[in-house]
């Protein structure tokens, strides 16, 4: 009798777990995703990026590290094949390549600003900022979501066709960018735990 009761309890617990998971997965929406992303105040990750460029026979691969501090500082340090860095601090973009430093004001480059805001807005969970420039579509579950960003303005459509970001809860896993000229890139992101 005790074994039957134990089996029944295990069955009920299993059904409850499945029902709870299914409910949580079915109710995961864009607002919940943005709220979850907004909880991450900083992050450190490694990346591998493959860029497919029409004039090249094979994709160009690079790798390095990403640093994020909410709400508007993002740093990409490329370590291979050659060292370079890109720091986005508020509305300033600082590029360092081959020992030379370039500082750009994003206000002077609205298309670049819109592109960068897609990443920064996603990291910050800023739905309003994203919706100023993109039509958003989300699918998946809390543990495996996909967010599609489609440019709204014709000017931006001439640069980017789509940006697809996937993740797990408040962590980004991949960023795929398809450009209007046919070039594309895929960045695979792996979080680095804090020491």
């Amino acid at each position: 009798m005790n074994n039957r009761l134990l089996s029944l309890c295990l069955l009920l617990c299993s059904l409850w777990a499945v029902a709870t998971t299914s409910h949580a997965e079915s109710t995961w929406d864009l607002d919940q995703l943005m709220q979850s992303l907004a909880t991450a105040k900083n992050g450190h990750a490694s990346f591998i990026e493959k860029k497919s460029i029409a004039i090249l026979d094979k994709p160009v691969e690079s790798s390095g590290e990403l640093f994020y501090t909410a709400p508007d500082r993002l740093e990409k340090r490329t370590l291979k094949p050659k060292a370079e860095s890109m720091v986005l601090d508020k509305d300033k973009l600082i590029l360092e390549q081959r020992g030379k430093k370039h500082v750009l004001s994003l206000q002077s480059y609205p298309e670049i600003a819109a592109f960068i805001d897609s990443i920064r807005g996603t990291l910050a969970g800023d739905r309003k900022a994203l919706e100023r420039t993109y039509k958003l579509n989300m699918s998946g579950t809390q543990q495996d979501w996909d967010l599609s960003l489609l440019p709204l303005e014709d000017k931006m459509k001439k640069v980017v066709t789509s940006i697809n970001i996937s993740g797990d809860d408040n962590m980004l896993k991949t960023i795929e960018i398809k450009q209007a000229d046919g070039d594309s890139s895929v960045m695979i992101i792996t979080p680095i735990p804090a020491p």
Side-chain angles (χ1 to χ4, degrees):
M1 183 67 178
N2 285 341
N3 284 343
R4 290 184 75 191
L5 186 59
L6 181 61
S7 297
L8 182 61
C9 286
L10 288 173
L11 177 63
L12 289 174
C13 288
S14 299
L15 291 173
W16 180 81
V18 168
T20 304
T21 302
S22 296
H23 178 70
E25 288 177 357
S26 67
T27 59
W28 183 250
D29 62 20
L30 187 56
D31 284 331
Q32 289 173 308
L33 171 61
M34 292 294 127
Q35 288 169 8
S36 178
L37 290 167
T39 62
K41 298 302 177 195
N42 56 54
H44 180 201
S46 63
F47 75 88
I48 297 172
E49 184 175 38
K50 289 184 180 177
K51 292 182 181 176
S52 297
I53 301 170
I55 59 169
L56 299 178
D57 293 337
K58 57 182 183 178
V60 176
E61 185 173 309
S62 61
S63 61
E65 294 181 78
L66 299 169
F67 300 85
Y68 170 69
T69 304
D72 50 19
R73 189 175 197 286
L74 180 62
E75 180 175 356
K76 178 183 175 189
R77 279 189 211 157
T78 302
L79 303 174
K80 293 180 181 176
K82 54 188 172 190
E84 58 185 38
S85 75
M86 180 184 82
V87 177
L88 176 66
D89 194 5
K90 296 179 180 144
D91 67 342
K92 196 179 346 172
L93 180 63
I94 304 163
L95 301 168
E96 283 192 55
Q97 297 172 312
R98 299 180 192 136
K100 294 184 178 177
K101 190 175 186 176
H102 306 276
V103 181
L104 307 173
S105 169
L106 293 179
Q107 293 174 346
S108 303
Y109 302 92
E111 289 82 18
I112 294 173
F115 168 72
I116 288 173
D117 281 346
S118 69
I119 308 300
R120 190 163 52 182
T122 302
L123 287 169
D126 190 343
R127 181 176 180 169
K128 287 182 182 175
L130 291 172
E131 288 181 330
R132 280 195 291 267
T133 311
Y134 300 97
K135 177 182 178 191
L136 307 180
N137 288 306
M138 198 207 93
S139 62
T141 64
Q142 183 173 1
Q143 289 75 35
D144 187 20
W145 53 265
D146 291 294
L147 179 64
S148 168
L149 292 80
L150 301 174
L152 295 173
E153 294 184 13
D154 290 340
K155 231 177 173 181
M156 189 64 184
K157 288 177 185 174
K158 291 178 183 174
V159 179
V160 175
T161 305
S162 66
I163 299 171
N164 293 299
I165 302 171
S166 69
D168 176 357
D169 200 6
N170 65 358
M171 293 183 293
L172 276 57
K173 294 191 303 189
T174 62
I175 301 172
E176 182 177 5
I177 300 167
K178 292 183 180 170
Q179 296 178 204
D181 62 4
D183 292 351
S184 62
S185 68
V186 177
M187 179 184 283
I188 299 169
I189 301 168
T190 305
I192 297 174

